[in-house]
Amino acid sequence: MPDATPARATAREAIALLTGAAGFTEHRPPPSPLPPDGPLGWAGYDAARERASARTGEEESVVYGAGVVGDYPCVLLSFEFGFLGGSLGRQTGDRLAAAYELALTRHLPLLALVATGGSRMQEGMVALTQLQRVAAASVRLRAAGLPQIAVVRDPTTGGGWATVGAGADVVLALPGAQVGFAGSRVRPPDADPYAYSAEGQFAAGQVDAVVPADELTATVTHWLRALGPHEELPAAPVPGALSAGGGEPGAGAGMEAQAATGSGAGMEAGAGTGAGAATGSGAGTPSAAGAEPTADRDPAAPLPETGREAVARARDPRRPRAEAYLADYLAVRLPLHGDRSGSTDPGLLCGFGLRADGQPVAYVAQCGTPTRPAGYRAAARTIRLADRLGIPVLTLVDTPGAANDAEAERAGAGAAIADTFAAIAAARVPVTTLVIGEGGSGGALALAAPGNTHVTVDSYFSVIAPELAAAILKRPPSETGATADQLRLRPQDLVDLGIARSIVG
């Protein structure tokens, strides 16, 4: 990677990039001198520290204090890689712990600008245990409902990545940065370097967005605005219904065309375009980008007369999908990406957003495909973060069901769905659900808010897809339509049964 990229900025340059003219006030912890040559008496350690200080102008590998990004006050900490590789020693731990404590005392979000090689060898286990101090400080900040945002620079490896970086609520990365637990000198010689890059970590669902340096200030400002801290917020309003122009369902939209297969065969292919929405300018930009241009407000669409008609309308490829609803609902979208377990699901969009009036909302939206375990894990992550920060949640339900292929089973489909149910059930913030298309079985219900679910006129919700219900009942395919009628899955049926509160549109 180029040596002159902004990822190689000094600690203070990284801070200035974000605070600009708003300024930054540095803080320092109380003095706590080390014994000669450090806690291990490592010969030459004092001299190495003196050389690092002369080279960088810093006394340690971390600078911290209070600043303003955009219009939002926060506590910033920034690593100086030029000081012994940005490594963590005992005095680094003093500064990190003090930064978290400053955020806690002032009730401010913490913004970490990370560039580190990990623990400092010359301090041995004393250095390594600083990771426990950081973890404890982070937990205290979480318990106080304060957000933590990390910007990982080049390089971010070792314990610094595994605590300050990957432990943050939101992880942004600069392009081309080396990011990974294993540093370049300790990984296998044949290891794929892409896996240790910002882009590789994004692909694996470990980084939420790769953001160019010239977009970083705007993106971080949006995140600070969205995550707060906030006073008590109202529930997310129910989205208005959208229409793609009406007309009869398109060819192939009938019930027999689609079963809840794990591969998504026959499903709406374009619905998963959010997979890369968190890279580059998509990391914090107006949500209209990438929206479905034909979707419009639906003035008064008729209700389906039969169950089979409801299913056909929900499967109509012209029906607006999640991207269109989110573009209409949010002025700014800030995607969260991945399940933090090495996987992503392009068919589930989640993150935080800002409405036109400035109200923050967390969103989880299915895109019409079978939802994979990674999608459910990402959904649970988003809901729990929103709950901890006191931000209302909107879920958009649209799936024929959870992915049911062998790979999904090996990836823990049942456990992931159970965890999503639990996240919704435990949420203290209001959760609002709109079923915008297919509501297929437990894979859809896992994202539905009990007592606050609404449905559109071109949606259905069923115990299982009618084709599969007919198969379970040992009925021939010719009786699928009649089975759909019997299941009472139409929007008006759902209101009558008390499953849905209202029909939108």
Side-chain angles (χ1 to χ4, degrees), residues 33-44:
L34 294 170
D37 279 332
L40 305 186
W42 189 288

Side-chain angles (χ1 to χ4, degrees), residues 333-345:
R333 259 174 63 191
L334 301 162
L336 291 176
H337 183 72
D339 66 352
R340 293 297 185 267
S341 296
S343 299
T344 63
D345 180 1

Side-chain angles (χ1 to χ4, degrees), residues 3 35 41 44 55 71 108 187 194 200 249 271-272 274 299 311 316 325 370 414 460:
D3 288 337
R55 184 169 56 250
D71 294 326
L108 292 174
R187 65 185 65 142
Y194 181 72
V311 174
D316 187 340
Y325 275 94
Y460 78 86

Side-chain angles (χ1 to χ4, degrees), residues 241 298 300-304 310 313 435 455-460 491-492 503-505:
D298 189 350
L303 290 169
R313 284 171 60 171
V435 184
V455 292
T456 64
V457 295
D458 47 7
S459 70
Y460 78 86
Q492 58 268 45
I503 299 171
V504 176

